[in-house]
Amino acid sequence: MSGMAVSRPDHPSLLPALLAAPDPTDRVPRSARDWAVDIAGFVLAVLFGCLMLVATSQGTHPPHHPPRLLDVMIGALGCLALWARRRRPVELAVVLGVLSTISVTTSGAACIALFTVSVHRHFRTVVLVAAVHLATGAIYAALFPDPRESFWVGIIWNVMVVAAIVASGMFVRARRQLILSLRERALRAEAEQQLRVVQARHQERARIAREMHDVLAHRISLLSVHAGALEFRPDAPPDEIAKAAGVIRASAHQALQDLREVIGVLRDDASGDTPERPQPNLGDLPTLIDESRRAGMTVTYENRLRDADAIPTALGRSAYRTVQEALTNARKHAPNATVTVVVDGSAGADLTVEVRNPLVNAASGIPGSGTGLIGLAERALLSGGRLEHGPTPEGEFRVRASLPWRGETTPAGASNGAVPS
């Protein structure tokens, strides 16, 4: 994933190539540690084979033994074959186990090969290869008995050695699997964290875009209405032109102020900065409606709220934005129609916001993004509510938001009572 860096070990040469590789499934060359282990394994196999050769030749009654020259030649080939143990561990362990029945100098290489199988293969394969070594050890004890000890003592020693090799190899395998599992979990957690960061960034961008659309669309539509009045009445008295220009200037300043407040609220608050003013809520609806009326709209506002002082801040802001966007749409698509705004609800029930205006064929010519209602629907959904919009049988266009009011006590500053048209 873009932006995600896979951490590398500080000293990869000290790790097995399997653990040093970024992807465990990749075939990678041997690391410096692997070469050191292979050299040490070869030297140990040679020394152990020589030790076994000397041990079986000592005493006043040495045991029967295969021809020494053939034994040494087979042992030397077995030790050299250890360099291929990483590619063919099972085949090499079986062959060396079989050859150990006629060559004691091969026993060291056979032990190294069995350990390799225990590290790199599943338990069933390890059991089968270990059974081969136990069987060949019993065959060797039967073919070349040692007069100094009983047959069963040799079998017991063989079983103990094979069991110790298998146990140590399986311990190393379990430890490596644990490390690989932890690394895989770490990589997955890092990828998931990066994905969560990307998703959070996208959600924050969408939230910023939605807030800016709700704020600026309202202000800019007011600017367009007043500027249109100046355009269509160039012969208006100077005092009216000056008044309209003042309204345009005030609206532009208010748009910049609203934009600054939105950015202040949505900016990362890690620094502890707060916006100069709180975000608007239901208590600011009368001001919003007055602005629309001064722009020439006919708006009827009915406030039927109960327990208005207990409206949560976030809920009041969502209701305010719903009314703001609905008035903006009415100003664009039905500039001369009467708009009715009704706010109703109580704690423990739904807060409903309904904006209606007659369906007309006129349009103000103010361009729109076409995403205002989509943003309102997303806002309502994030609040746990729903948004309905569209024509009604009575010939009106209605926008109705139902937002759950769970009875939180954080006030939104809404004022009760109806505001006349």
Side-chain angles (χ1 to χ4, degrees), residues 158-177:
N158 188 31
V159 170
M160 293 176 61
V161 171
V162 170
I165 294 173
V166 170
S168 59
M170 292 182 65
F171 173 79
V172 173
R173 175 179 173 83
R175 183 175 178 274
R176 289 187 180 181
Q177 286 181 335

Side-chain angles (χ1 to χ4, degrees), residues 240-300:
E240 292 187 7
I241 294 178
K243 182 179 179 181
V247 172
I248 292 176
R249 180 177 60 83
S251 297
H253 289 177
Q254 187 63 40
L256 293 176
Q257 177 68 20
D258 290 341
L259 178 61
R260 182 162 55 248
E261 291 173 2
V262 170
I263 297 300
V265 170
L266 297 178
R267 184 181 296 137
D268 185 10
D269 58 355
S271 61
D273 295 337
T274 58
E276 296 178 0
R277 292 189 306 169
Q279 284 288 284
N281 47 49
L282 281 180
D284 299 307
L285 272 185
T287 303
L288 174 67
I289 292 174
D290 287 341
E291 290 177 351
S292 299
R293 288 170 177 165
R294 288 196 299 269
M297 296 182 66
T298 303
V299 183
T300 301

